[in-house]
Amino acid sequence: MACAQSELRGLGRVSDLKKEAESLDRAATALRKVPHRTAKPLHAFKEESNDLGALGTLGSLLGATDDIRDGMHTLARLTHVLEEEWQAEAKLMGEVSDAFDVLDVLLAAATRGKRG
């Protein structure tokens, strides 16, 4: 009886690992797509930061133009850094997902070995 319960717990861990691996794989795939979705808006944002001449008509904002431009450049740089971090996280998540897949196979084989 105790042996059967142990095997059931082992199968539960295998199932949980498989779910975790699938979840990590989906998350990694989504993170890899981020640069494709942000490239065009980020490019447009960078371009707009160089075309702030229209603010010249707003006298109260003339002094803030350089600050706004600097802020926009900073946001663009930070977005690039964030995308690089997401890519690194996506790679790591993919590797963890692969490791979970391997562990799942090993646990299933161990469970079959105990039964056989």
Side-chain angles (χ1 to χ4, degrees):
M1 179 69 174
C3 185
Q5 289 175 343
S6 176
E7 285 182 25
L8 286 176
R9 280 193 297 263
L11 290 176
R13 286 191 301 261
V14 171
S15 176
D16 290 343
L17 286 174
K18 185 165 182 61
K19 288 178 187 176
E20 287 296 322
E22 290 170 354
S23 177
L24 284 170
D25 187 54
R26 283 192 304 271
T29 299
L31 281 175
R32 285 186 195 101
K33 293 179 183 179
V34 168
H36 301 294
R37 293 186 177 154
T38 61
K40 188 175 179 179
L42 183 59
H43 177 71
F45 184 77
K46 286 178 184 176
E47 290 298 316
E48 289 298 321
S49 72
N50 293 322
D51 187 26
L52 293 174
L55 291 177
T57 58
L58 304 171
S60 63
L61 293 178
L62 267 177
T65 301
D66 288 337
D67 292 336
I68 292 169
R69 183 179 293 116
D70 290 344
M72 291 175 80
H73 285 296
T74 300
L75 285 172
R77 278 194 315 272
L78 290 174
T79 300
H80 178 70
V81 169
L82 186 57
E83 286 178 352
E84 288 177 345
E85 184 176 326
W86 286 340
Q87 291 303 310
E89 286 181 16
K91 181 181 178 197
L92 178 63
M93 291 170 77
E95 291 169 356
V96 170
S97 174
D98 292 344
F100 277 170
D101 288 340
V102 170
L103 185 57
D104 187 34
V105 169
L106 292 173
L107 287 172
T111 301
R112 279 182 292 211
K114 287 180 182 179
R115 280 191 244 157

